[in-house]
Amino acid sequence: MSPTSSTTPATPPKTVRKPRSTAPVHTPDAELPDDEGQALDDGITQLEAGARMWAALTLDQRARLLGRVRDAVGMVAQEWVDVATTSKGLEPGHPLSGEEWLGGPYGVIGLLDALRETLETLAKGGNPLDGVKLGQAPGGRLRAHTFPLNGTERFLLSGFTGEVWFEPGVTAADARREAGLGQLTPTQSGGVGLVLGAGNVTSIPVADVLYELFAHNRVALLKVNPTQDALVPVFERALAPLIEPGFVRIARGGAATGAYLTSHPRIAHVHITGSAATFDAIVWGPSAGAEKGTDAATRRENAEPRLRVPITAELGGVSPIIVVPGQWTAADLKYQAEHVATMRLVNAGHNCIAGQVVILSADWPQRAEFLRELHAAYAAAPQRPVWYPRSDERLADAAFAYPGAVWCADRTRAIVEVGAGERREAVETTEYFAPVLGVVELAGTGQEFLDAAVAHANERLTGTLGANVLIDPATEAALGEGFERAIADLRYGDIAINTWTAFNFLTARLTWGGFPGATLADVSSGIGVVHNALLLDRVERSVGRGPFRPFPRAAADKVRGLRLAKGTILPTPPWFVSSRTGAQVSAGLTRYLIDGKLPGLVKTLTKAMQA
């Protein structure tokens, strides 16, 4: 998720040497102090023993283990959020700390619950797709309606739905037969996997470890990004039920530690959340001239990667926000402008999920009104530190490329409206990973504009991870099948319609990852998926859908008979940067997942109505 790996020095050598392992000696690609290298080797030896124990567990035992992890996460949830908030330059309890609730314990508990249900179903001889509605998507695709699947989901996120689309040619029988992935053959060990954790969103390292265990039967060595070192004690307590029997180990360290581990002969698989540049360095080696002998360019040319084991990755990109022109009210313009600002500004823009390029119709009569509301919402969002390493450099790059950009918040965020004749390449191909929002315009309205916007996103923007589409119900109904066809044409692994792809990311039974087809030589937004709590195979994308209008205006749409309008009881969602009660609501929703206490939920819903 980060555009650059950290160069924070590795942990200093330990003063106490552990007993030598009898495992094969590792000749590393990076030098580490003897004690640090020995500690990593010993950890891998313990994981190898854990892999044998993991393969001996029944599905019932694994499900119960997930319950213990859930309890442990609940115990550390408040500390998790406080440490994460502080690490990003904010005080505990800050109004923006709701992001850390949703992007931390909330997301992990949702994944634990969904995985546990999948394992319990398999243990009883059922299928993960039992009770899931299957249907057809454009292009001969099969889709599974995987959200909501229970009353809690329908109530807490009313008006939101989620679908998993399979690759063309996958039948319902195929999908059911393959659902379960590694849990269909639980005694077949996947060995020891290495997870190189993300540095920006705190649920990611934990979720990636869970996916290694349950999708692939691989025990996991998690190397945290140095930006999350302060969370290691929290992670260790949250994952204690997995650490104690040797199913998971956690290591600190910088680039040298990562290089040591990715070249380790007893690592069977690597998973990284990061940047394409970091991925290429792992797979092909440092750039040409950085080492003696065969350089990275020659390896790539000869298709001879330095990495000798399989690798999966989630690498981000430049995400579009396609605004389909329609007849919007003044309230619609304001609300959707706040929506777009949210997509860019949550976590100070340090998200692979972040929307970066707004694609507008130059012929939309309300274009100027929308842009005025967007500038106002962008400037009014709470100010916060731009905290991720080297963000200042990326803001400077944007200022150099676009001297006419409009800056606000003490020049920590910018909107770049690329005019006719101006170069779009920088904002369309550079994942700024900072508060830089581009606006480009295309001709046309209706289907003509939508098709042009889809083609532009596919062909001009870097990456294939996430795309966002905003469209009012009346316009969507008028486009009919043309709208669904356009969605099918978008070559992105996650698509959000009238919501943000963060909804897909946080929804455990949806998948998260780049569009299929990436290779080691051209990795784009990554290889493979994560989350995917139903453990579905051959997935092409996930599609989330939300209400165009919040409560109570959404209810009025239903009364007026707008066929595609989604009713909802949600006012401004708690993840909006404009929500006045986002922190209290996000914390309350997480605590409700933890303890199920209705009085707390009632209090939370009251706060939600004050957003």
Side-chain angles (χ1 to χ4, degrees):
M1 249 192 201
S2 61
T4 179
S5 59
S6 173
T7 56
T8 302
T11 304
K14 296 179 174 62
T15 56
V16 178
R17 184 181 297 272
K18 294 186 177 181
R20 286 283 176 183
S21 166
T22 58
V25 175
H26 173 27
T27 303
D29 286 343
E31 293 185 4
L32 292 176
D34 286 347
D35 284 358
E36 185 175 344
Q38 184 61 47
L40 294 171
D41 290 351
D42 291 346
I44 293 172
T45 299
Q46 294 162 357
L47 285 167
E48 288 172 329
R52 294 188 289 272
M53 185 182 300
W54 179 258
L57 293 183
T58 67
L59 297 184
D60 274 330
Q61 288 172 322
R62 295 179 183 190
R64 289 196 294 272
L65 192 57
L66 282 169
R68 291 179 55 204
V69 177
R70 186 193 200 281
D71 292 341
V73 171
M75 292 292 291
V76 301
Q78 183 68 61
E79 182 184 359
W80 181 329
V81 170
D82 289 345
V83 173
T85 302
T86 302
S87 72
K88 298 178 181 183
L90 303 172
E91 293 294 324
H94 189 278
L96 293 173
S97 63
E99 298 172 5
E100 302 309 322
W101 281 103
L102 296 179
Y106 177 92
V108 170
I109 290 173
L111 180 58
L112 290 165
D113 286 346
L115 282 171
R116 184 176 183 177
E117 289 179 20
T118 294
L119 262 68
E120 289 173 343
T121 297
L122 289 167
K124 295 174 183 176
N127 189 283
L129 286 171
D130 288 346
V132 176
K133 180 184 175 183
L134 301 178
Q136 292 299 308
R141 296 171 174 88
L142 176 75
R143 73 174 121 197
H145 298 267
T146 63
F147 184 92
L149 288 185
N150 57 53
T152 298
E153 291 174 344
R154 290 185 185 92
F155 181 69
L156 294 184
L157 284 170
S158 67
F160 287 78
T161 60
E163 310 156 7
V164 173
W165 291 21
F166 293 87
E167 295 175 353
V170 175
T171 67
D174 294 334
R176 289 182 60 84
R177 182 178 62 255
E178 297 163 357
L181 296 178
Q183 300 311 300
L184 297 177
T185 54
T187 61
Q188 296 180 15
S189 172
V192 178
L194 171 65
V195 173
L196 300 175
N200 58 337
V201 176
T202 63
S203 64
I204 295 175
V206 176
D208 290 349
V209 163
L210 293 172
Y211 202 66
E212 288 291 289
L213 280 167
F214 291 94
H216 304 297
N217 279 331
R218 276 194 291 268
V219 297
L221 174 58
L222 167 63
K223 191 201 81 66
V224 298
N225 188 292
T227 63
Q228 295 198 4
D229 274 355
L231 274 164
V232 168
V234 177
F235 288 161
E236 288 175 337
R237 295 201 298 283
L239 295 175
L242 299 174
I243 293 173
E244 291 164 1
F247 304 147
V248 173
R249 286 289 180 272
I250 300 177
R252 290 181 173 93
T257 303
Y260 182 92
L261 291 170
T262 55
S263 62
H264 202 289
R266 292 188 286 141
I267 292 293
H269 180 273
V270 175
H271 178 78
I272 176 178
T273 299
S275 69
T278 304
F279 177 93
D280 286 344
I282 292 169
V283 172
W284 306 106
S287 57
E291 60 176 30
K292 296 179 180 179
T294 305
D295 60 32
T298 303
R299 290 193 194 94
R300 188 190 291 270
E301 183 178 347
N302 295 334
E304 296 176 348
R306 183 175 69 168
L307 185 68
R308 299 301 183 187
V309 298
I311 184 171
T312 52
E314 189 264 273
L315 305 176
V318 174
S319 294
I321 307 168
I322 298 173
V323 180
V324 183
Q327 294 182 359
W328 293 11
T329 67
D332 294 337
L333 293 166
K334 184 176 188 298
Y335 177 79
Q336 293 300 347
E338 293 173 356
H339 199 175
V340 172
T342 294
M343 295 181 196
R344 177 72 269 186
L345 294 179
V346 163
N347 199 21
H350 309 313
N351 286 336
C352 67
I353 304 171
Q356 181 166 306
V357 173
V358 181
I359 303 178
L360 279 183
S361 166
D363 300 316
W364 185 25
Q366 294 179 293
R367 166 194 155 278
E369 294 175 80
F370 177 75
L371 286 173
R372 281 196 296 272
E373 291 288 358
L374 178 58
H375 279 274
Y378 205 69
Q383 195 163 335
R384 64 182 301 165
V386 180
W387 62 271
Y388 206 81
R390 298 179 61 186
S391 295
D392 55 342
E393 296 176 22
R394 290 187 287 278
L395 291 174
D397 289 344
F400 178 79
Y402 298 103
V406 177
W407 292 83
C408 58
D410 293 335
R411 291 188 65 85
T412 60
R413 59 182 78 147
I415 293 181
V416 176
E417 294 184 41
V418 184
E422 291 188 283
R423 296 179 64 86
R424 296 172 172 172
E425 287 84 351
V427 77
E428 292 187 335
T429 62
T430 303
E431 184 188 13
Y432 282 109
F433 214 69
V436 178
L437 181 67
V439 179
V440 301
E441 296 182 3
L442 304 177
T445 58
Q447 193 71 50
E448 177 191 9
F449 167 79
L450 179 57
D451 290 344
V454 167
H456 191 91
N458 286 341
E459 297 164 10
R460 301 290 186 88
L461 304 190
T462 293
T464 64
L465 182 60
N468 308 277
V469 181
L470 302 178
I471 183 169
D472 66 272
T475 302
E476 184 178 348
L479 294 180
E481 292 182 0
F483 178 74
E484 286 295 304
R485 176 185 53 75
I487 295 302
D489 288 342
L490 268 172
R491 295 194 297 270
Y492 287 81
D494 278 271
I495 297 171
I497 302 166
N498 291 333
T499 183
W500 174 28
T501 48
F503 165 74
N504 298 35
F505 174 84
L506 288 174
T507 301
R509 294 186 183 92
L510 297 180
T511 57
W512 184 255
F515 196 76
T519 64
L520 295 183
D522 184 11
V523 71
S524 188
S525 287
I527 298 170
V529 299
V530 291
H531 304 176
N532 187 26
L534 292 174
L535 301 178
L536 305 177
D537 199 12
R538 291 195 282 168
V539 169
E540 182 184 65
R541 72 184 82 193
S542 287
V543 179
R545 302 173 192 259
F548 179 75
R549 298 181 174 100
F551 180 84
R553 290 188 295 119
D557 284 346
K558 299 298 286 186
V559 171
R560 291 201 306 269
L562 289 178
R563 182 172 58 85
L564 294 180
K566 287 182 174 288
T568 180
I569 62 170
L570 279 179
T572 301
W575 55 85
F576 268 43
V577 291
S578 56
S579 173
R580 292 178 295 180
T581 59
Q584 299 99 310
V585 173
S586 299
L589 290 176
T590 307
R591 291 194 178 101
Y592 176 68
L593 291 185
I594 292 170
D595 60 29
K597 294 181 178 179
L598 289 177
L601 178 60
V602 171
K603 182 178 179 181
T604 297
L605 295 178
T606 301
K607 285 290 183 182
M609 294 300 170
Q610 300 168 1

